[in-house]
Amino acid sequence: LGLSGPPGAGKSTFIECFGKMLTERKHKVSVLAVDPSSSTSGGSLLGDKTRMTELSRDMNAYIRPSPTSGTLGGVTRTTNEAILLCEGGGYDVVLVETVGVGQSEFAVADMVDMFILLLPPASGDELQGIKRGIIEMADLVAINKADGDLVVPARRIQAEYVSAMKLLRRRSKVWRPKV
């Protein structure tokens, strides 16, 4: 599964919860988390692993943060090979968290079985903020943080995306993207 979304959408939190659920069901889960690299120093914080503390201690999970090192599209130059290595290493679920910073961060869509766009509610002009490119590639749009005071805004953004996705050409004859 490939996951992308804007900063603050809860990608790492979602992956930790989802990953723990999978390992409790006896799956072996690998997480390939991609972080942006500094254009000045070339370094990267690689902080995603620190936000997945429970999953990082799980013996049936493997988390590998990697810097983009200037690669565009939200992944690294070797993400596809890393996916294959994880599968060869016995991990039956591989989650790829992209940099997730914009509308063109969807190179992972061609590397995975399902591409999920994770969005927070009430973050402004949602349809303007996430443009056509990434929406066209999404197999699933998940509205995250849809609880408490955010239930109503979450329902609104869900309706907006359901309507918007009806205008897009389907990538598959057998799967209609869900929101």
Side-chain angles (χ1 to χ4, degrees), residues 6-98:
K11 295 180 296 292
S12 295
T13 303
F14 175 84
I15 289 171
E16 178 163 62
C17 292
F18 188 56
K20 287 296 294 176
M21 181 199 72
L22 290 168
T23 59
E24 288 167 4
R25 294 180 180 184
K26 307 299 180 219
H27 290 279
K28 286 190 70 181
V29 177
S30 175
V31 178
L32 303 173
V34 182
D35 280 335
S37 298
S38 166
S39 58
T40 305
S41 69
S44 182
L45 292 177
L46 304 177
D48 288 315
K49 190 170 184 174
T50 62
R51 282 178 277 177
M52 299 180 212
T53 53
E54 286 185 44
L55 191 60
S56 67
R57 291 190 299 257
D58 191 316
M59 295 305 293
N60 288 314
Y62 168 71
I63 302 173
R64 174 139 178 31
S66 300
T68 59
S69 301
T71 303
L72 299 177
V75 293
T76 71
R77 183 179 51 79
T78 58
T79 296
N80 200 47
E81 290 82 358
I83 292 169
L84 295 173
L85 284 170
C86 290
E87 290 173 340
Y91 292 93
D92 58 323
V93 178
V94 179
L95 305 173
V96 181
E97 179 184 359
T98 73

Side-chain angles (χ1 to χ4, degrees), residues 139-143 157-159 161-163 165 177-179:
D139 297 307
L140 178 68
V141 176
I143 311 301
I157 189 176
Q158 177 188 20
Y161 273 90
V162 167
S163 294
M165 292 183 81
K178 309 284 185 219
V179 179

Side-chain angles (χ1 to χ4, degrees), residues 115-137:
F115 178 55
I116 302 169
L117 176 60
L118 200 63
L119 299 173
S123 60
D125 187 352
E126 283 82 4
L127 286 175
Q128 184 62 24
I130 303 294
K131 303 267 188 194
R132 186 175 183 121
I134 199 165
I135 296 171
E136 289 176 317
M137 303 305 290

